[in-house]
Each structure stands twice: as C-alpha cells, then as structure tokens.
Amino acid sequence: MKRWIAIVPIVGLISLAALGAARLINPERGDFELQIRKAPDRTFDTFSGEAINFFSTATDARIVNLFASWCGPCRAEHHHLVALSEAYPGQVFGVLYKDTRANGEKFLTELGDPFTDVAMDDDGQGGLDFGLTGVPETFVIAANGDILLHIDGPLTKEAAKKVGETLESASPLNR
C-alpha cells in the first residue's frame, strides 16, 4: 500500500512535464501577436529600378507578400495573390526572398505577375527585419507603416479573405 503513495508524486511530475513540453511545442497564440508593430524602415531595390520603403513611402495601405521561386507553398498560394491584385489594383507588392531576379521573373512570367512592384531581398535581411520565419508570408501594412495583419505560411481562401478585409478597413481608397 505504501508503494502506491510513492508512485503518486512521480506520476504527477511526469504529467506536469508532459503538459509543459506540449505547451512549448504548440504554444497558444497570445496577445503579443495582436500588438501592432511597424514594417521595417528599410529601403529595397525593385524590379522597376526604383527604391521602395514599406515603412515610409506608402500613401495607402498595401499587401506585401514575401515569396521565392524555389518555394512550393509560394506556388500554391499564388492564385490568391492574383485574385487580391485584381480586387485591389496597385496595392499588392512582392518581396523576392533569397532568390535571383532571373528566377523571380521566370516564376512570375509562368504564374502571372500580381504585384505592383517586386522588391529584392537577396541576402534575406529584409525578411528577417519583417520577422519572417519562412516563405511565404503576407503582411497588410497601413500607410503609416503599422503591420495590421501577418499571415505566416501560404494564403488559403480564408486567409486571403481576411487580408482583403483588413486592407479595406485600413484603406480609404477601398471604402
């Protein structure tokens, strides 16, 4: 009978350790993701040859998608970007992450180019400044540089709808 009493604390400790490990592996989305942060104050070279700064040059809200030609999920989400570009002309921008311009142009020629312009992020530092964890990721950025929405991973139908709704709520052009 006394052996059972000795096992109870051990089972309790194992249970707590398992619960803690599960929370570390799959954390709940918390308030930090709801805090508004600024787009990086960084200037990118673009395909058009002009420089762009998503923090300080916007006159209206915009969608910024970080992608790469070598990224399978980027290919899978691309039709959602085309649809967003058709619904919000002039407000969808791309950032080509750790890729070459030639590969990016080939990718966009093959799938269609939904972007008003494409910024180059050859070394990946711009993506890191955005807080990128892996391509693709999509941001809705207000004219003042606030990141209003961050979709990590490929756009789905539901995520694309949320991107559009966020853009509309932040953009006087779309009201």
mmCIF file of all heavy atoms in Angstrom, residues 14-44:
data_model
loop_
_atom_site.group_PDB
_atom_site.id
_atom_site.type_symbol
_atom_site.label_atom_id
_atom_site.label_comp_id
_atom_site.label_asym_id
_atom_site.label_seq_id
_atom_site.Cartn_x
_atom_site.Cartn_y
_atom_site.Cartn_z
ATOM 1 N N ILE A 14 5.586 13.581 -13.842
ATOM 2 C CA ILE A 14 5.627 13.197 -15.260
ATOM 3 C C ILE A 14 4.501 13.879 -16.022
ATOM 4 O O ILE A 14 4.700 14.371 -17.143
ATOM 5 C CB ILE A 14 5.583 11.659 -15.409
ATOM 6 C CG1 ILE A 14 6.884 11.048 -14.878
ATOM 7 C CG2 ILE A 14 5.339 11.249 -16.860
ATOM 8 C CD1 ILE A 14 6.868 9.535 -14.787
ATOM 9 N N SER A 15 3.323 13.936 -15.436
ATOM 10 C CA SER A 15 2.187 14.605 -16.081
ATOM 11 C C SER A 15 2.463 16.088 -16.288
ATOM 12 O O SER A 15 2.185 16.638 -17.358
ATOM 13 C CB SER A 15 0.916 14.433 -15.244
ATOM 14 O OG SER A 15 0.584 13.073 -15.129
ATOM 15 N N LEU A 16 2.998 16.758 -15.273
ATOM 16 C CA LEU A 16 3.328 18.180 -15.404
ATOM 17 C C LEU A 16 4.410 18.409 -16.457
ATOM 18 O O LEU A 16 4.339 19.362 -17.248
ATOM 19 C CB LEU A 16 3.774 18.748 -14.061
ATOM 20 C CG LEU A 16 2.670 19.009 -13.051
ATOM 21 C CD1 LEU A 16 3.266 19.431 -11.712
ATOM 22 C CD2 LEU A 16 1.721 20.078 -13.560
ATOM 23 N N ALA A 17 5.409 17.539 -16.503
ATOM 24 C CA ALA A 17 6.471 17.660 -17.502
ATOM 25 C C ALA A 17 5.906 17.483 -18.908
ATOM 26 O O ALA A 17 6.262 18.221 -19.833
ATOM 27 C CB ALA A 17 7.571 16.633 -17.234
ATOM 28 N N ALA A 18 5.014 16.535 -19.087
ATOM 29 C CA ALA A 18 4.390 16.308 -20.399
ATOM 30 C C ALA A 18 3.546 17.505 -20.810
ATOM 31 O O ALA A 18 3.579 17.941 -21.968
ATOM 32 C CB ALA A 18 3.544 15.036 -20.368
ATOM 33 N N LEU A 19 2.794 18.075 -19.878
ATOM 34 C CA LEU A 19 1.982 19.257 -20.170
ATOM 35 C C LEU A 19 2.870 20.445 -20.543
ATOM 36 O O LEU A 19 2.607 21.155 -21.514
ATOM 37 C CB LEU A 19 1.102 19.608 -18.965
ATOM 38 C CG LEU A 19 0.207 20.836 -19.124
ATOM 39 C CD1 LEU A 19 -0.804 20.617 -20.243
ATOM 40 C CD2 LEU A 19 -0.500 21.134 -17.819
ATOM 41 N N GLY A 20 3.939 20.640 -19.808
ATOM 42 C CA GLY A 20 4.873 21.726 -20.111
ATOM 43 C C GLY A 20 5.516 21.553 -21.476
ATOM 44 O O GLY A 20 5.648 22.501 -22.245
ATOM 45 N N ALA A 21 5.917 20.348 -21.800
ATOM 46 C CA ALA A 21 6.524 20.076 -23.110
ATOM 47 C C ALA A 21 5.524 20.331 -24.226
ATOM 48 O O ALA A 21 5.862 20.912 -25.260
ATOM 49 C CB ALA A 21 7.036 18.643 -23.160
ATOM 50 N N ALA A 22 4.281 19.917 -24.029
ATOM 51 C CA ALA A 22 3.249 20.141 -25.043
ATOM 52 C C ALA A 22 3.011 21.633 -25.267
ATOM 53 O O ALA A 22 2.840 22.081 -26.402
ATOM 54 C CB ALA A 22 1.946 19.452 -24.625
ATOM 55 N N ARG A 23 3.029 22.433 -24.224
ATOM 56 C CA ARG A 23 2.830 23.886 -24.354
ATOM 57 C C ARG A 23 4.018 24.545 -25.060
ATOM 58 O O ARG A 23 3.854 25.503 -25.778
ATOM 59 C CB ARG A 23 2.623 24.518 -22.988
ATOM 60 C CG ARG A 23 1.390 24.038 -22.250
ATOM 61 C CD ARG A 23 0.159 24.593 -22.800
ATOM 62 N NE ARG A 23 0.087 25.981 -22.357
ATOM 63 C CZ ARG A 23 -0.892 26.782 -22.620
ATOM 64 N NH1 ARG A 23 -1.882 26.357 -23.320
ATOM 65 N NH2 ARG A 23 -0.890 28.008 -22.198
ATOM 66 N N LEU A 24 5.221 24.031 -24.825
ATOM 67 C CA LEU A 24 6.399 24.572 -25.503
ATOM 68 C C LEU A 24 6.393 24.235 -26.983
ATOM 69 O O LEU A 24 6.780 25.042 -27.823
ATOM 70 C CB LEU A 24 7.679 24.044 -24.855
ATOM 71 C CG LEU A 24 8.036 24.645 -23.508
ATOM 72 C CD1 LEU A 24 9.215 23.901 -22.904
ATOM 73 C CD2 LEU A 24 8.369 26.122 -23.641
ATOM 74 N N ILE A 25 5.951 23.036 -27.312
ATOM 75 C CA ILE A 25 5.932 22.602 -28.707
ATOM 76 C C ILE A 25 4.809 23.299 -29.473
ATOM 77 O O ILE A 25 4.986 23.696 -30.622
ATOM 78 C CB ILE A 25 5.788 21.068 -28.790
ATOM 79 C CG1 ILE A 25 7.058 20.410 -28.240
ATOM 80 C CG2 ILE A 25 5.522 20.616 -30.216
ATOM 81 C CD1 ILE A 25 6.928 18.912 -28.032
ATOM 82 N N ASN A 26 3.646 23.450 -28.873
ATOM 83 C CA ASN A 26 2.480 24.065 -29.521
ATOM 84 C C ASN A 26 1.935 25.204 -28.662
ATOM 85 O O ASN A 26 0.883 25.080 -28.054
ATOM 86 C CB ASN A 26 1.374 23.025 -29.728
ATOM 87 C CG ASN A 26 1.778 21.929 -30.665
ATOM 88 O OD1 ASN A 26 2.291 22.206 -31.734
ATOM 89 N ND2 ASN A 26 1.563 20.687 -30.260
ATOM 90 N N PRO A 27 2.627 26.348 -28.642
ATOM 91 C CA PRO A 27 2.139 27.447 -27.800
ATOM 92 C C PRO A 27 0.844 28.016 -28.352
ATOM 93 O O PRO A 27 0.594 27.993 -29.560
ATOM 94 C CB PRO A 27 3.265 28.480 -27.886
ATOM 95 C CG PRO A 27 3.934 28.189 -29.179
ATOM 96 C CD PRO A 27 3.809 26.709 -29.390
ATOM 97 N N GLU A 28 0.010 28.491 -27.457
ATOM 98 C CA GLU A 28 -1.212 29.157 -27.887
ATOM 99 C C GLU A 28 -0.848 30.524 -28.436
ATOM 100 O O GLU A 28 0.080 31.181 -27.975
ATOM 101 C CB GLU A 28 -2.171 29.315 -26.704
ATOM 102 C CG GLU A 28 -2.767 28.006 -26.245
ATOM 103 C CD GLU A 28 -3.774 28.195 -25.127
ATOM 104 O OE1 GLU A 28 -4.232 29.331 -24.912
ATOM 105 O OE2 GLU A 28 -4.087 27.204 -24.481
ATOM 106 N N ARG A 29 -1.595 30.963 -29.425
ATOM 107 C CA ARG A 29 -1.356 32.296 -29.964
ATOM 108 C C ARG A 29 -1.818 33.292 -28.916
ATOM 109 O O ARG A 29 -2.945 33.270 -28.484
ATOM 110 C CB ARG A 29 -2.094 32.485 -31.268
ATOM 111 C CG ARG A 29 -1.595 31.511 -32.325
ATOM 112 C CD ARG A 29 -2.002 31.962 -33.700
ATOM 113 N NE ARG A 29 -1.493 31.049 -34.684
ATOM 114 C CZ ARG A 29 -0.403 31.264 -35.391
ATOM 115 N NH1 ARG A 29 0.287 32.353 -35.220
ATOM 116 N NH2 ARG A 29 -0.004 30.393 -36.284
ATOM 117 N N GLY A 30 -0.900 34.150 -28.537
ATOM 118 C CA GLY A 30 -1.199 35.050 -27.432
ATOM 119 C C GLY A 30 -1.297 36.497 -27.851
ATOM 120 O O GLY A 30 -1.317 36.830 -29.030
ATOM 121 N N ASP A 31 -1.330 37.343 -26.869
ATOM 122 C CA ASP A 31 -1.509 38.767 -27.098
ATOM 123 C C ASP A 31 -0.366 39.403 -27.858
ATOM 124 O O ASP A 31 -0.549 40.401 -28.521
ATOM 125 C CB ASP A 31 -1.679 39.494 -25.757
ATOM 126 C CG ASP A 31 -3.003 39.157 -25.105
ATOM 127 O OD1 ASP A 31 -3.924 38.748 -25.834
ATOM 128 O OD2 ASP A 31 -3.096 39.313 -23.881
ATOM 129 N N PHE A 32 0.834 38.829 -27.790
ATOM 130 C CA PHE A 32 1.935 39.502 -28.484
ATOM 131 C C PHE A 32 1.696 39.570 -29.967
ATOM 132 O O PHE A 32 2.147 40.459 -30.642
ATOM 133 C CB PHE A 32 3.275 38.902 -28.122
ATOM 134 C CG PHE A 32 3.869 37.865 -29.033
ATOM 135 C CD1 PHE A 32 3.571 37.738 -30.362
ATOM 136 C CD2 PHE A 32 4.803 37.007 -28.512
ATOM 137 C CE1 PHE A 32 4.144 36.788 -31.162
ATOM 138 C CE2 PHE A 32 5.392 36.040 -29.318
ATOM 139 C CZ PHE A 32 5.061 35.930 -30.632
ATOM 140 N N GLU A 33 0.952 38.600 -30.530
ATOM 141 C CA GLU A 33 0.682 38.619 -31.955
ATOM 142 C C GLU A 33 -0.353 39.667 -32.320
ATOM 143 O O GLU A 33 -0.509 39.994 -33.481
ATOM 144 C CB GLU A 33 0.231 37.245 -32.414
ATOM 145 C CG GLU A 33 1.378 36.251 -32.310
ATOM 146 C CD GLU A 33 0.971 34.851 -32.633
ATOM 147 O OE1 GLU A 33 -0.245 34.598 -32.715
ATOM 148 O OE2 GLU A 33 1.852 34.018 -32.794
ATOM 149 N N LEU A 34 -1.058 40.185 -31.340
ATOM 150 C CA LEU A 34 -2.070 41.191 -31.597
ATOM 151 C C LEU A 34 -1.505 42.602 -31.476
ATOM 152 O O LEU A 34 -2.169 43.555 -31.842
ATOM 153 C CB LEU A 34 -3.251 41.016 -30.632
ATOM 154 C CG LEU A 34 -3.942 39.656 -30.699
ATOM 155 C CD1 LEU A 34 -5.010 39.570 -29.624
ATOM 156 C CD2 LEU A 34 -4.530 39.401 -32.065
ATOM 157 N N GLN A 35 -0.309 42.738 -30.973
ATOM 158 C CA GLN A 35 0.290 44.052 -30.828
ATOM 159 C C GLN A 35 0.711 44.567 -32.197
ATOM 160 O O GLN A 35 1.299 43.841 -32.995
ATOM 161 C CB GLN A 35 1.514 43.994 -29.909
ATOM 162 C CG GLN A 35 1.157 43.675 -28.487
ATOM 163 C CD GLN A 35 2.393 43.564 -27.614
ATOM 164 O OE1 GLN A 35 3.502 43.790 -28.063
ATOM 165 N NE2 GLN A 35 2.180 43.226 -26.364
ATOM 166 N N ILE A 36 0.404 45.821 -32.446
ATOM 167 C CA ILE A 36 0.780 46.420 -33.717
ATOM 168 C C ILE A 36 2.256 46.759 -33.676
ATOM 169 O O ILE A 36 2.757 47.330 -32.714
ATOM 170 C CB ILE A 36 -0.081 47.661 -34.009
ATOM 171 C CG1 ILE A 36 -1.523 47.225 -34.244
ATOM 172 C CG2 ILE A 36 0.463 48.431 -35.198
ATOM 173 C CD1 ILE A 36 -2.473 48.323 -34.592
ATOM 174 N N ARG A 37 2.951 46.379 -34.723
ATOM 175 C CA ARG A 37 4.354 46.732 -34.863
ATOM 176 C C ARG A 37 4.538 47.371 -36.229
ATOM 177 O O ARG A 37 3.673 47.286 -37.082
ATOM 178 C CB ARG A 37 5.259 45.524 -34.669
ATOM 179 C CG ARG A 37 4.996 44.380 -35.603
ATOM 180 C CD ARG A 37 5.794 43.137 -35.189
ATOM 181 N NE ARG A 37 5.425 42.006 -35.997
ATOM 182 C CZ ARG A 37 6.058 41.626 -37.100
ATOM 183 N NH1 ARG A 37 7.111 42.282 -37.522
ATOM 184 N NH2 ARG A 37 5.655 40.584 -37.788
ATOM 185 N N LYS A 38 5.658 47.985 -36.421
ATOM 186 C CA LYS A 38 5.944 48.714 -37.656
ATOM 187 C C LYS A 38 6.635 47.812 -38.674
ATOM 188 O O LYS A 38 7.379 46.906 -38.313
ATOM 189 C CB LYS A 38 6.853 49.918 -37.373
ATOM 190 C CG LYS A 38 6.218 50.984 -36.503
ATOM 191 C CD LYS A 38 5.250 51.797 -37.304
ATOM 192 C CE LYS A 38 4.748 52.985 -36.506
ATOM 193 N NZ LYS A 38 3.709 53.697 -37.201
ATOM 194 N N ALA A 39 6.387 48.113 -39.937
ATOM 195 C CA ALA A 39 7.155 47.484 -41.004
ATOM 196 C C ALA A 39 8.595 47.953 -40.865
ATOM 197 O O ALA A 39 8.853 49.039 -40.329
ATOM 198 C CB ALA A 39 6.587 47.889 -42.364
ATOM 199 N N PRO A 40 9.537 47.169 -41.331
ATOM 200 C CA PRO A 40 10.933 47.590 -41.192
ATOM 201 C C PRO A 40 11.214 48.875 -41.970
ATOM 202 O O PRO A 40 10.728 49.045 -43.084
ATOM 203 C CB PRO A 40 11.725 46.419 -41.762
ATOM 204 C CG PRO A 40 10.764 45.579 -42.504
ATOM 205 C CD PRO A 40 9.406 45.880 -41.979
ATOM 206 N N ASP A 41 11.965 49.755 -41.347
ATOM 207 C CA ASP A 41 12.366 51.008 -42.000
ATOM 208 C C ASP A 41 13.601 50.696 -42.839
ATOM 209 O O ASP A 41 14.725 50.959 -42.454
ATOM 210 C CB ASP A 41 12.655 52.075 -40.939
ATOM 211 C CG ASP A 41 12.822 53.454 -41.551
ATOM 212 O OD1 ASP A 41 12.637 53.595 -42.772
ATOM 213 O OD2 ASP A 41 13.139 54.385 -40.802
ATOM 214 N N ARG A 42 13.357 50.094 -43.975
ATOM 215 C CA ARG A 42 14.414 49.572 -44.836
ATOM 216 C C ARG A 42 14.042 49.853 -46.286
ATOM 217 O O ARG A 42 12.902 49.687 -46.685
ATOM 218 C CB ARG A 42 14.521 48.075 -44.594
ATOM 219 C CG ARG A 42 15.465 47.364 -45.495
ATOM 220 C CD ARG A 42 15.379 45.844 -45.248
ATOM 221 N NE ARG A 42 16.425 45.175 -45.950
ATOM 222 C CZ ARG A 42 17.654 45.017 -45.514
ATOM 223 N NH1 ARG A 42 17.982 45.476 -44.330
ATOM 224 N NH2 ARG A 42 18.556 44.404 -46.230
ATOM 225 N N THR A 43 15.003 50.243 -47.065
ATOM 226 C CA THR A 43 14.770 50.516 -48.475
ATOM 227 C C THR A 43 15.230 49.315 -49.293
ATOM 228 O O THR A 43 16.326 48.800 -49.098
ATOM 229 C CB THR A 43 15.526 51.787 -48.913
ATOM 230 O OG1 THR A 43 15.056 52.873 -48.106
ATOM 231 C CG2 THR A 43 15.273 52.092 -50.364
ATOM 232 N N PHE A 44 14.359 48.863 -50.182
ATOM 233 C CA PHE A 44 14.639 47.732 -51.055
ATOM 234 C C PHE A 44 14.781 48.232 -52.493
ATOM 235 O O PHE A 44 14.042 49.125 -52.913
ATOM 236 C CB PHE A 44 13.469 46.735 -51.049
ATOM 237 C CG PHE A 44 13.219 46.041 -49.743
ATOM 238 C CD1 PHE A 44 12.371 46.593 -48.798
ATOM 239 C CD2 PHE A 44 13.794 44.810 -49.474
ATOM 240 C CE1 PHE A 44 12.106 45.941 -47.615
ATOM 241 C CE2 PHE A 44 13.539 44.146 -48.279
ATOM 242 C CZ PHE A 44 12.695 44.712 -47.350
#
